[in-house]
Amino acid sequence: MILRIAAALLTVSLLAPTPTPDGAISRTPPAHPSLVFHFAVRDGEGRAVRWDPCGQIQLLFNLSNAPAGARHELNEVTKVIRRATRLTVRLVGDTSTQPSADYGDIQSAGQWPDVLVAFVQRRDHLLSDEGSSAETTTSWITESDGHDRYVTGEMLINAEQNDVYGDGTDGRPSRVRLFEHELGHLIGLDHVGDRRSIMFPQVLRRTGLTAGDLLGLRELGPADDRGARCPL
């Protein structure tokens, strides 16, 4: 039974860092800054909101405004996140569906829509800060057992900055890094102050997940979802 639906908006900037919102859960051992991670959303009992560990996180890609290679890069990043979380995260196909402010608010035939990934123009007025490189919105419900679960989301990439990002070999920030950051938000991570982390609120030229990134993603996966019993 669905008790409520809510959403969260998280952004990443190429320019000025964005402060971490109040209330984020920090699991930062003071002596080990590389292990830092924050949960994006928690329920009234302090538990991190998670995806259904037995379900699938399916992404649909809108090719409009997307630069060459972006779909392949996103597909490769989903594999990285899938290995890190042990959640079933997949890019399942392309779509002509357009992003909107109310995407994901309503079920269709009893199903929540797949996560939509789209490159948007400034004229679309879909980014809350048009200087941001990307924004990710997640929607979740409170189920009858009292646990909050993510059900869908929307990843919007700023197409005005397509020329800013590259493959990481030409001196420009890596688009792969941007996708890693946004998928981190989608899974349930928030910004951190560690410049080495994919969840640092600026896209830097370094690549690879830190120990903190891996720890946070693993905690949001089924291995740490207490009491989860998935059918074979």
Side-chain angles (χ1 to χ4, degrees):
M1 180 177 70
I2 298 169
L3 302 180
R4 68 178 176 85
I5 182 168
L9 173 68
L10 296 158
T11 69
V12 62
S13 173
L14 183 70
L15 305 173
T18 304
T20 300
D22 293 338
I25 298 176
S26 176
R27 299 289 184 85
T28 311
H32 302 284
S34 65
L35 295 179
V36 61
F37 67 87
H38 296 163
F39 293 136
V41 184
R42 55 178 171 172
D43 63 18
E45 297 185 19
R47 298 172 298 197
V49 176
R50 306 168 185 270
W51 289 85
D52 179 356
C54 304
Q56 296 191 35
I57 307 171
Q58 298 192 154
L59 279 62
L60 290 174
F61 191 78
N62 186 315
L63 293 171
S64 301
N65 306 313
R71 189 186 190 284
H72 172 74
E73 292 165 337
L74 178 61
N75 188 53
E76 292 304 303
V77 173
T78 62
K79 297 176 184 177
V80 172
I81 299 300
R82 185 162 66 244
R83 288 194 298 268
T85 60
R86 288 189 270 183
L87 293 168
T88 305
V89 188
R90 289 197 177 95
L91 179 57
V92 294
D94 303 330
T95 182
S96 59
T97 300
Q98 296 297 313
S100 64
D102 59 356
Y103 182 85
D105 286 352
I106 302 173
Q107 287 182 307
S108 176
Q111 299 292 322
W112 295 102
D114 292 332
V115 174
L116 178 64
V117 181
F119 283 73
V120 297
Q121 301 279 0
R122 185 175 295 129
R123 64 175 180 267
D124 298 328
H125 303 296
L126 290 168
L127 298 174
S128 61
D129 177 356
E130 294 182 347
S132 294
S133 297
E135 292 182 354
T136 292
T137 302
T138 49
S139 299
W140 70 92
I141 59 173
T142 300
E143 296 181 327
S144 56
D145 63 1
H147 286 83
D148 288 353
R149 296 286 187 208
Y150 291 119
V151 290
T152 188
E154 194 175 33
M155 284 175 50
L156 303 181
I157 314 298
N158 189 346
E160 304 286 342
Q161 296 185 11
N162 281 352
D163 291 339
V164 173
Y165 291 92
D167 62 6
T169 64
D170 56 2
R172 291 181 294 169
S174 169
R175 189 175 296 106
V176 165
R177 184 80 172 184
L178 178 62
F179 284 146
E180 287 175 342
H181 182 98
E182 293 308 310
L183 280 175
H185 280 321
L186 183 72
I187 296 301
L189 293 180
D190 206 349
H191 291 148
V192 298
D194 185 352
R195 295 177 66 86
R196 295 166 294 182
S197 169
I198 62 164
M199 300 315 299
F200 187 70
Q202 288 177 291
V203 178
L204 304 178
R205 290 180 173 83
R206 296 179 181 176
T207 58
L209 277 62
T210 66
D213 297 328
L214 291 169
L215 182 60
L217 290 169
R218 187 164 60 248
E219 287 219 3
L220 289 166
D224 290 279
D225 194 6
R226 308 297 188 247
R229 296 291 182 270
C230 300
L232 298 176

